[in-house]
Amino acid sequence: MTTVCNAYVQPLMARYLRALETTLADNGYSCPLYLMTSGGGMTTLESAIRYPIRLVESGPSGGAVLASRLAERLQEQRVVSFDMGGTTAKICLIQDYQPQTARNFEIARAARFQKGSGMPVRIPVIEMIEIGAGGGSIAHVDGMGQLRIGPESAGSVPGAACYGKGGTKPTVTDANLLLGRINPSTFAEGKMPLDVPAAETAIAADVAAPLAVSGLEAAFGVTEMVEENMANAARIHSVEHGADLSTFTMIAFGGGGPLHAVRLAEKLGVQKVIVPANSGVGSAVGFLQAPVAYEVVRSRYMTLDQFDPDAANQVIGAISDEAHSIVSGSDPNAEISLTCTAYMRYVGQGHEIQVPIPAGTLTAQDTATIKASYEAAYGCLYGRTIPQRDIEILSWSMVAATVLPALDIIPNDTPAKGCDPIETRTVFVPSQKAQTDIPVYWRPDMPAGAEFTGPALVAEPQTTTFVTDGFKGRIDADANLILERI
């Protein structure tokens, strides 16, 4: 399936990328052109043309890279990234500054967001859950009188009803507007004033009237439902990976992420939320921080009881050379790291897990080390191991990546400072179940050390952060907005 999908899109992608290369050169750009892959690394133009299937979901992987690098700078070892845009929301677990990865992915799903309805491909991907919960997700009441959000989206055209482009269906953006979280006159830096009456009409017709509630209650129901959908998906994902989200820090970005992050954190028991600078374009910022990287996976079956170090070394050597040659082509002088892992499982099982393999030439004595690594990874996921059951290796993976410069740790001793709001706005506060006048802070004007207590709004050019009265906020030395539970 992976081969067929790659062959199907390869001619189209090759024509497009060659045209892009030519156009850039004609306009005086002589620098190399790199593309983001789904595995979280940049790759060369030639590699992208040969294997375009590896570019699937490359955009969201940039957000995971951003969160990983920020987690390292802030020394946050357990992070859940939350990326919400116009159509979808994506959540990724990041531990020890490394995002969860996988090699299975579904594309072209017939039933949107429904597992098993698409074409399975095997490519290196950053593992994240995706649900139909974005700013353009359409709200409706089904035949049983239940409020539903998405997965249908109004898209950018016609978009939310408040865009004034002919849309009549109520969306999450319309609900946030009616709740006061979005300023209709400064949306998109004032270039796109929003139509409040159109949002009121859409919410009233499709949500408030069927549920026999007020327009404000209907709008609050829409945001609560979309946040609960995201929280439920995050709970399931964390349980599947043996993670307790209450011990994690959330990093939120995307145009809609900061609007919903704090309320989502409250539902998940998360104690700290970080909204990085330029969060509205977080994935793009992540591209700038990604290494040039390439992964090669090759099958070579063996069990640990009959471990063959010579065969293993032969496979590792071959995939090391292939991965290294592709990455070194980007910069012959770059320092390149090689990371070897194996996909392993107990004999008789149907799913394997990824386990680190010792560096260097393997010997028979490394069998015990590999087994201990497998049991540690398996126990972390499932809470137990299976004694006296042989373990099998199905395939081997090698990732070559350029070594990035060491990150400076962001100090946490910035002197506290007061800050003045630019205005007050009437906003629906969930804990009070009523509209309340709350302060609005303009983030670009907030100095390092600025502190405030919720409820509040922190506005910036691309997005707005809604802070409930259960959180307090501050700006750190690197312009990140740090929100902590009171």
Side-chain angles (χ1 to χ4, degrees):
M1 182 67 76
T2 307
T3 302
V4 170
C5 290
N6 190 72
Y8 182 78
V9 301
Q10 196 276 335
L12 178 65
M13 289 293 291
R15 288 194 298 271
Y16 173 79
L17 292 176
R18 289 299 183 199
L20 178 61
E21 179 186 34
T22 301
T23 303
L24 288 172
D26 291 345
N27 282 274
Y29 293 93
S30 59
C31 57
L33 174 61
Y34 297 98
L35 291 98
M36 193 72 181
T37 68
S38 59
M42 306 294 287
T43 193
T44 61
L45 180 70
E46 296 302 326
S47 175
I49 288 174
R50 187 177 180 186
Y51 301 114
I53 192 66
R54 290 184 178 233
L55 307 184
V56 171
E57 287 294 294
S58 56
S61 69
V65 171
L66 167 70
S68 300
R69 299 286 283 175
L70 182 58
E72 187 172 355
R73 292 200 67 191
L74 293 170
Q75 298 293 284
E76 296 282 354
Q77 292 190 318
R78 291 186 296 274
V79 161
V80 54
S81 71
F82 170 47
D83 177 7
M84 183 176 177
T87 306
T88 61
K90 300 173 183 68
I91 292 170
C92 177
L93 297 180
I94 300 168
Q95 300 192 64
D96 296 324
Y97 320 129
Q98 295 296 322
Q100 296 276 359
T101 58
R103 58 175 182 152
N104 297 311
F105 188 75
E106 280 188 27
I107 61 175
R109 283 176 170 165
R112 204 159 175 231
F113 308 109
Q114 186 65 44
K115 265 187 178 181
S117 67
M119 294 184 289
V121 294
R122 285 210 165 194
I123 55 173
V125 296
I126 290 180
E127 186 173 17
M128 54 185 75
I129 55 169
E130 180 182 54
I131 61 174
S137 295
I138 296 173
H140 67 281
V141 177
D142 65 16
M144 297 182 65
Q146 296 177 323
L147 178 59
R148 302 289 186 183
I149 312 297
E152 296 81 9
S153 174
S156 56
V157 179
C162 61
Y163 285 3
K165 295 182 178 180
T168 59
K169 298 295 184 181
T171 67
V172 176
T173 297
D174 293 308
N176 278 315
L177 176 64
L178 297 188
L179 293 174
R181 300 178 184 180
I182 297 175
N183 187 332
S185 60
T186 61
F187 186 79
E189 301 183 57
K191 299 174 184 176
M192 186 177 170
L194 298 181
D195 187 342
V196 176
E200 291 173 337
T201 300
I203 291 285
D206 286 12
V207 181
L211 295 177
V213 298
S214 69
L216 193 62
E217 290 173 322
F220 178 57
V222 169
T223 60
E224 278 291 285
M225 183 61 69
V226 76
E227 289 154 1
E228 189 56 49
N229 288 345
M230 292 184 289
N232 186 53
R235 293 185 193 104
I236 294 172
H237 186 63
S238 63
V239 168
E240 289 175 344
H241 289 82
D244 177 6
L245 285 181
S246 66
T247 65
F248 280 58
T249 293
M250 180 182 293
I251 296 180
F253 48 92
L259 273 170
H260 298 272
V262 170
R263 191 73 181 122
L264 177 61
E266 289 180 335
K267 292 177 180 293
L268 294 173
V270 171
Q271 301 297 306
K272 182 190 290 186
V273 177
I274 300 170
V275 182
N278 302 306
S279 59
V281 289
S283 291
V285 175
F287 293 171
L288 303 177
Q289 302 182 31
V292 177
Y294 197 80
E295 180 178 6
V296 179
V297 179
R298 189 158 299 169
S299 298
R300 178 59 170 88
Y301 179 85
M302 65 181 70
T303 66
L304 289 189
D305 281 355
Q306 298 180 337
F307 184 66
D308 185 346
D310 292 336
N313 288 325
Q314 185 178 8
V315 173
I316 292 172
I319 61 179
S320 296
D321 291 343
E322 183 179 345
H324 191 280
S325 65
I326 292 174
V327 174
S328 62
S330 65
D331 182 0
N333 299 318
E335 182 183 356
I336 297 174
S337 66
L338 295 171
T339 305
C340 185
T341 57
Y343 291 91
M344 306 169 61
R345 66 188 182 189
Y346 285 113
V347 172
Q349 289 187 328
H351 299 279
E352 61 268 23
I353 61 175
Q354 193 172 10
V355 178
I357 297 298
T361 303
L362 297 178
T363 66
Q365 285 68 40
D366 288 311
T367 306
T369 302
I370 296 172
K371 181 178 180 180
S373 295
Y374 173 80
E375 290 180 337
Y378 191 91
C380 181
L381 279 175
Y382 302 109
R384 55 160 294 181
T385 58
I386 305 177
Q388 301 178 346
R389 176 65 64 89
D390 196 6
I391 300 166
E392 57 187 7
I393 302 174
L394 282 79
S395 53
W396 306 78
S397 165
M398 181 64 68
V399 177
T402 54
V403 177
L404 297 173
L407 293 172
D408 295 329
I409 306 304
I410 300 175
N412 195 27
D413 57 355
T414 305
K417 300 177 182 177
C419 57
D420 296 322
I422 58 171
E423 63 176 344
T424 60
R425 192 184 308 159
T426 303
V427 177
F428 186 89
V429 178
S431 63
Q432 302 176 20
K433 298 182 179 179
Q435 290 179 303
T436 306
D437 289 339
I438 67 174
V440 179
Y441 300 93
W442 182 241
R443 185 169 177 177
D445 293 340
M446 299 175 75
E451 293 185 342
F452 65 93
T453 302
L457 290 170
V458 181
E460 55 187 291
Q462 295 101 11
T463 187
T464 297
T465 302
F466 173 56
V467 185
T468 68
D469 50 8
F471 277 73
K472 60 182 179 180
R474 61 182 173 86
I475 302 294
D476 72 4
D478 205 36
N480 298 303
L481 175 58
I482 312 294
L483 305 168
E484 296 176 285
R485 193 181 291 269
I486 299 174

